[in-house]
Amino acid sequence: MWFLGLIIGAIIGAIGGGGGALVGAIVGTIAGAAISAQRKAASDKRLKTIEDAIERLNRRVETLEIGSPRTAESTPAGTAVTESGSAAEATAAAVATEQPGRMPADAPELSPVAVAAAYELTDAFVTLGKTTPTPVAKETRGLPAMEGTAAAAPNEPLPRAPAGPPPASSEDVISRWLFGGNTLVRVGIIVLFFGVAFLLKYAAERDLVPIELRLAGVALGGVAMLVVGWRLRAKRAGYALMLQGGGVGVMYLTVFAALRLYQLLPTELAFVLLAGIAVFSAALAVFQDSRALAITGAAGGFLAPILASTGGGNHVALFSFYAVLNAGILGIAYYKAWRELNLVGFAFTFVIGLLWGAQYYRPELFSTTEPFLLLFFLFYVALAVLFALRQAPQLAHYVDGTLVFGTPLIAFGLQAALVRDTEFGSAWSAFALAAFYLLLASLLHARQRDTLRLLVESFLALGVGFATLAVPLAFDGRWTSAVWAVEGAAIVWASVRQDRKLARVFGMLLQPAAGFAFLVGSDKPVGAVPVLNSLYLGCVMVSMAGLFCSRYLERHQGRIAENELMAARLLFAWAAVWWFGGGLLEIHRHAPTAWGLHPQLLFFAGSCAAFGWLWRMLGWDIARFPAFLILPFMAVVAVGLLDQPAAHRHPFAHHAYLGWLLGFGVHLWLLRAHEVRDGRWLDWLHAAGFWLLAVVLSWEVGWQIDQYVQGRRVWPLIAWALVPGTLIAMFAARGDRLGWPVDAHRQAYLYAGALPLAVFLLAWIVYVNFASNGDPAPLPYVPLLNPLDLAQAGALLALVTWFVGVRRLDLPEAKLPQPATAIKLLGAVLFVVLNGVLLRSLHHYADVPFRLETMLRSILVQAAFSLFWSLLALAAMVIATRRGLRALWVVGAVLLGVVIVKLFLVDLANTGTIERVVSFISVGILVIVVGYFAPVPPKSREEVA
């Protein structure tokens, strides 16, 4: 293979000059060596498997042959053929009767006839030179003859049918042609062929010998090689076939040189001769059943015009000659399923056509180039069908993926290059290919419904793929990436069914290649029609191809390796990125800015619902992961609203409530579908959805209140207490009667979800008393009856309801503080609330600026603090005395002590003010009252004890 790679690389590289020939030779050698090493490793593995099987079979035969020398003596006469059964059964019975101790208890029950068949199988492998016969395989004493034949002599080997060589593997034909048998002859033929070509070129350039004489001599040499090869076909088949192949190549070269270089033959006669040589070489190959001769003749024919070319030839003559050669290959394919020959013709035809087009094609040559491209395309589609018809009865690899999928891939690429200056040329070409493949699939399905099912499905997939591709191509020329993605998916599909690992890897690699090719062409103009443009539809096609590959590989994971399964999962992630990225880009390009993030929200919700449907309906487990991204996506949209203009800075702007309803609906639908799964992460998803719902509703309710009331900041602020408080209070009070999901996931909603909201409410209460003056405009401010104070009261009531409800339900993992601790925390928060009410009242009625620093310097505020804290202390101590609550009395006493200390440290500094007088007098009176009504309460029984 390295030598073949060297030759092909040198030929292709020589088109670009001498340096190119050297580089091509090096690259070809490396590629050929790599392929050869891979094939040798596969061959060694198959050989080891066969040898192990033979060794196991020989051990079984040895087990059955224990005591065989006495079998013939102990077998009664006349048991060769009995009325009741075969002699083999009688012999086996005799062996089992006379030598029971020699037969292992676990020996397999095989008849001697099966043992004889095993011998024949072993000897058949021996003839291949893979192993050597074992002594057991030659000792067949005591074995009876097959039914209907004479019994074999006791010491003579069983007669066996002559074993011929097994069918050749399609991958090894070329390597055996080069290196099997007499390698020097093969190398000599190749060198001779090149030498003849160079001799003709040299002689033509220097005019040494008359042209007619030169060509006649070369032609006679080719005929001589054919005659000698034909006569030696029975004695030395390999040598004879090589001579015949060389003769065919020389004849091709001679006729083409007479036509192209010297114009000695009219075009009609030259093509008649070329067609005759093609038919003659095909007949020789078919008659002698020689793939090597067919490949040699075809390769010589394809190389002849390249070697004899002077660089200024007529492409019509070149492609006409190749059309004749391909017709010969098609004729052979009608009789023989020689995949190698088909691939040789495919490679030469399209590689040379591609190189010619890259160097010489101009738009004015379209009319003389397009017919040949269509003809070659039809040739190799027909070859794929004929190959399938010949191979289908064998039920093995009857779809040639290279021809079935490679032909439209390369042909469409060349076609797109030819029509790049024609408006919608690629789109119409894709549509024509789709119609062709769909029609061909329907015809084959009608006539070969059972035998060619895989080929029909392949053509159907190609038809659908090109039909899909025609739409984006109608807007611009991004065909490469889309074709690669679709064809890669088709190759993966076919290679999984045919168990071809290399083809699967190639199809998977085409997916990222398609994506990168798409990104390279992203700067091209894009159609103005939303959705129906090449940019978005191209992204969708890359995504769909990746999703198909991932799903099909995962569905048939028993046929693929573990690393391929990992690649399938990566392809799924790749496809999901293209799906979401393409959709967001299309929304960014076409959605009006005034709509805000509403389109993105709807797209996320619909996409996650689609992935959830794939998971539920197809049992595709990996599809549930992007479906569960709906919650993070909604959170991202909520954060993105902060950057929107003020008029759109709320969740339900432009009827976005539809998107939020759909998003939360998809979220709950997915969670309900996972009820059968046991996992704590489900409870966290429930809780996270609860948090996001509280945020969205609080935001929207606050915005709506502010719009309708036209007040100040206090109105939207109260919504952040009303909504979370209502939710946790309602869930705690009626959580066991609300049904799914609250009743089924109490831990998630009443504890994991509600606890952060309860902490938020406490923090909110503290925050608003420092941050808001509570202005209820357009309403007048009334202490305790204004919106802010009522909202704080409602929040505290909701917290108490939640705390009591959670303790009543006794959730197993709910860790709440003890009631005494909760009461202390509630008292501290209530103290902050009451002080806030005092400060807001002073702000509204005494015109004290609502700034903490200013208020702390205010004499009026300090006097109010002293009097108010004293009243609070009095109330606490009186209640504590009557209830016997010693701890509460201590709290009141401490607060009263703080007031007294404050009087002397703060209020005393305000000399000459009425506020200081009021403070001292009022506090003094209150302390006296406390001493009368609230003495120290008695100790509890436990304290006394």
Side-chain angles (χ1 to χ4, degrees):
M1 290 303 297
W2 67 267
F3 188 72
L4 181 62
L6 184 149
I7 295 171
I8 296 176
I11 294 171
I12 296 175
I15 298 174
L22 178 60
V23 174
I26 295 174
V27 174
T29 302
I30 296 174
I35 296 174
S36 179
Q38 181 184 4
R39 291 179 176 173
K40 185 177 184 302
S43 177
D44 293 342
K45 184 177 180 181
R46 291 195 298 268
L47 175 59
K48 184 65 171 59
T49 303
I50 293 174
E51 290 178 347
D52 292 343
I54 293 174
E55 184 179 353
R56 290 195 300 270
L57 184 59
N58 284 336
R59 285 201 299 267
R60 289 191 178 185
V61 172
E62 289 177 358
T63 303
L64 293 176
E65 280 296 304
I66 295 176
S68 61
R70 299 177 56 189
T71 303
E73 300 173 2
S74 61
T75 302
T79 59
V81 178
T82 64
E83 295 180 1
S84 60
S86 65
E89 297 173 352
T91 302
V95 171
T97 302
E98 295 191 10
Q99 300 181 12
R102 304 291 299 277
M103 184 69 70
D106 58 348
E109 298 180 0
L110 296 177
S111 68
V113 176
V115 176
Y119 287 154
E120 293 189 11
L121 176 61
T122 305
D123 291 340
F125 282 115
V126 170
T127 60
L128 296 178
K130 303 294 185 180
T131 184
T132 57
T134 62
V136 176
K138 293 299 183 182
E139 296 177 3
T140 57
R141 291 188 298 272
L143 289 178
M146 299 292 289
E147 186 174 350
T149 63
N155 295 321
E156 294 180 1
L158 284 174
R160 60 179 181 268
S169 173
S170 61
E171 289 82 2
D172 298 334
V173 172
I174 298 177
S175 59
R176 289 207 312 271
W177 179 83
L178 278 175
F179 304 108
N182 195 334
T183 305
L184 293 177
V185 175
R186 288 152 171 76
V187 176
I189 292 296
I190 295 173
V191 175
L192 176 63
F193 185 81
F194 277 80
V196 170
F198 295 147
L199 175 62
L200 288 175
K201 191 172 183 179
Y202 179 83
E205 291 173 351
R206 290 163 178 77
D207 198 17
L208 299 178
V209 181
I211 297 174
E212 295 83 355
L213 185 58
R214 284 181 248 154
L215 294 180
V218 173
L220 288 176
V223 172
M225 294 175 67
L226 280 172
V227 173
V228 173
W230 178 258
R231 293 177 68 92
L232 293 177
R233 71 186 186 280
K235 297 179 180 180
R236 301 183 64 180
Y239 185 83
L241 290 174
M242 287 304 305
L243 288 179
Q244 294 176 47
V248 170
V250 169
M251 294 175 66
Y252 273 133
L253 187 64
T254 304
V255 175
F256 194 82
L259 171 66
R260 283 280 310 278
L261 299 180
Y262 312 113
Q263 292 80 39
L264 296 178
L265 294 176
T267 304
E268 296 79 5
L269 177 59
F271 280 103
V272 169
L273 291 175
L274 290 173
I277 296 172
V279 173
F280 179 67
S281 62
L284 285 177
V286 173
F287 181 78
Q288 299 175 81
D289 196 19
S290 172
R291 302 189 189 199
L293 177 58
I295 293 173
T296 302
F302 281 108
L303 287 174
I306 302 299
L307 297 174
S309 174
T310 60
N314 183 1
H315 69 282
V316 176
L318 175 67
F319 293 148
S320 300
F321 174 56
Y322 281 0
V324 174
L325 291 177
N326 284 313
I329 294 175
L330 184 62
I332 294 176
Y334 186 78
Y335 297 98
K336 298 290 183 179
W338 289 345
R339 182 171 183 264
E340 302 82 3
L341 179 62
N342 300 340
L343 295 181
V344 167
F346 176 81
F348 274 112
T349 300
F350 286 106
V351 170
I352 293 175
L354 181 62
L355 295 175
W356 175 87
Q359 189 171 1
Y360 299 109
Y361 177 74
R362 301 183 304 277
E364 55 267 22
L365 300 179
F366 177 80
S367 60
T368 56
T369 306
E370 177 74 7
F372 287 108
L373 178 58
L374 295 178
L375 181 61
F376 294 149
F377 169 75
L378 294 176
F379 268 140
Y380 285 95
V381 172
L383 282 171
V385 175
L386 287 176
F387 180 80
L389 289 172
R390 292 295 171 192
Q391 288 290 101
Q394 302 180 20
L395 301 177
H397 306 312
Y398 66 87
V399 172
D400 188 342
T402 303
L403 293 184
V404 170
F405 298 110
T407 299
L409 175 65
I410 296 180
F412 187 73
L414 293 173
Q415 175 69 12
L418 295 181
V419 299
R420 63 176 178 267
D421 297 326
T422 304
E423 188 177 8
F424 304 121
S426 297
W428 284 114
S429 300
F431 179 78
L433 275 176
F436 171 79
Y437 275 112
L438 292 175
L439 178 62
L440 185 57
S442 62
L443 292 176
L444 290 176
H445 178 70
R447 299 189 179 184
Q448 303 286 339
R449 180 170 303 177
D450 298 327
T451 57
L452 295 182
R453 179 181 180 86
L454 182 57
L455 184 66
V456 170
E457 292 175 352
S458 301
F459 285 161
L460 181 62
L462 286 171
V464 173
F466 280 110
T468 306
L469 182 63
V471 176
L473 290 179
F475 295 92
D476 63 30
R478 288 186 182 90
W479 60 270
T480 304
S481 56
V483 168
W484 284 359
V486 173
E487 296 296 337
I491 290 173
V492 168
W493 171 74
S495 60
V496 169
R497 296 176 66 98
Q498 296 182 347
D499 197 19
R500 295 179 181 269
K501 183 175 181 179
L502 187 60
R504 289 198 300 270
V505 173
F506 178 71
M508 287 187 283
L509 289 177
L510 274 179
Q511 302 308 314
F516 292 130
F518 190 91
L519 293 176
V520 169
S522 60
D523 57 341
K524 295 181 179 179
V526 181
V529 180
V531 179
L532 296 179
N533 59 78
S534 61
L535 182 62
Y536 178 65
L537 291 181
C539 292
V540 171
M541 293 180 68
V542 173
S543 175
M544 291 295 103
L547 289 176
F548 174 82
C549 291
S550 176
R551 171 58 180 166
Y552 200 74
L553 288 170
E554 184 177 329
R555 184 180 177 186
H556 298 83
Q557 56 184 306
R559 302 183 183 180
I560 62 176
E562 184 64 27
N563 55 353
E564 291 180 88
L565 183 59
M566 181 60 65
R569 293 166 181 164
L570 292 176
L571 279 178
F572 180 86
W574 164 268
V577 169
W578 274 91
W579 173 263
F580 286 109
L584 292 178
L585 181 60
E586 187 69 7
I587 292 172
H588 175 72
R589 291 178 60 245
H590 294 285
T593 307
W595 290 1
L597 298 179
H598 182 207
Q600 287 86 339
L601 182 60
L602 284 174
F603 172 72
F604 283 141
S607 299
C608 292
F611 278 109
W613 180 86
L614 290 175
W615 165 62
R616 291 295 304 276
M617 300 301 296
L618 303 181
W620 195 1
D621 192 62
I622 196 175
R624 64 192 175 98
F625 294 105
F628 275 116
L629 290 177
I630 181 61
L631 203 60
F633 283 151
M634 290 193 296
V636 170
V637 170
V639 173
L641 290 174
L642 297 174
D643 294 331
Q644 296 296 309
H648 314 301
R649 200 179 298 161
H650 65 104
F652 291 178
H654 302 288
H655 306 287
Y657 56 85
L658 298 175
W660 290 106
L661 285 175
L662 180 60
F664 280 109
V666 171
H667 172 68
L668 292 176
W669 171 64
L670 291 170
L671 293 177
R672 185 61 181 265
H674 277 74
E675 284 295 299
V676 295
R677 295 176 178 264
D678 184 17
R680 292 180 56 85
W681 61 275
L682 284 177
D683 281 345
W684 284 112
L685 286 176
H686 278 281
F690 183 36
W691 301 334
L692 184 60
L693 176 65
V695 170
V696 172
L697 290 180
S698 300
W699 190 345
E700 182 63 27
V701 169
W703 189 87
Q704 296 291 345
I705 290 175
D706 187 53
Q707 293 299 308
Y708 283 103
V709 177
Q710 293 293 327
R712 299 183 181 179
R713 290 188 58 209
V714 68
W715 288 101
L717 192 61
I718 63 175
W720 292 93
L722 293 178
V723 174
T726 302
L727 289 176
I728 65 173
M730 180 180 63
F731 285 1
R734 303 182 59 85
D736 53 347
R737 295 187 295 273
L738 289 177
W740 191 91
V742 179
D743 185 36
H745 298 274
R746 299 181 185 179
Q747 191 75 28
Y749 287 92
L750 300 184
Y751 180 68
L755 180 60
L757 296 183
V759 174
F760 168 78
L761 283 178
L762 289 175
W764 178 87
I765 291 173
V766 175
Y767 167 76
V768 296
N769 283 283
F770 287 93
S772 177
N773 61 6
D775 186 2
L779 301 179
Y781 180 82
V782 179
L784 299 179
L785 296 179
N786 59 83
L788 184 59
D789 292 343
L790 293 175
Q792 292 185 87
L796 290 173
L797 181 61
L799 288 171
V800 173
T801 304
W802 169 75
F803 185 83
V804 173
V806 172
R807 291 186 61 85
R808 174 179 59 83
L809 294 174
D810 194 20
L811 300 178
E813 297 183 11
K815 297 179 181 179
L816 296 178
Q818 293 298 321
T821 304
I823 291 175
K824 294 176 183 178
L825 179 62
L826 180 63
V829 173
L830 187 60
F831 178 76
V832 173
V833 171
L834 294 176
N835 279 276
V837 172
L838 173 64
L839 292 177
R840 286 189 292 275
S841 300
L842 292 174
H843 166 69
H844 287 283
Y845 292 106
D847 295 327
V848 179
F850 193 82
R851 290 190 297 272
L852 182 61
E853 182 181 359
T854 304
M855 285 190 164
L856 291 179
R857 291 200 304 264
S858 171
I859 300 175
L860 178 61
V861 170
Q862 293 298 333
F865 274 156
S866 299
L867 181 59
F868 184 63
W869 290 356
S870 299
L871 290 172
L872 290 178
L874 172 62
M877 296 173 74
V878 169
I879 295 174
T881 301
R882 294 186 178 183
R883 299 282 184 175
L885 301 176
R886 186 179 180 86
L888 179 61
W889 190 93
V890 172
V891 171
V894 170
L895 180 58
L896 188 59
V898 170
V899 171
I900 295 173
V901 171
K902 176 179 168 297
L903 284 175
F904 289 95
L905 294 181
V906 178
D907 294 36
L908 188 61
N910 301 320
T911 59
T913 61
I914 190 62
E915 289 84 358
R916 183 183 66 170
V917 175
V918 173
S919 297
F920 273 82
I921 294 176
S922 301
V923 171
I925 295 174
L926 288 175
V927 171
I928 295 173
V929 173
V930 169
Y932 179 81
F933 288 101
V936 179
K939 296 182 178 180
S940 63
R941 295 179 181 178
E942 291 78 6
E943 291 175 322
V944 173

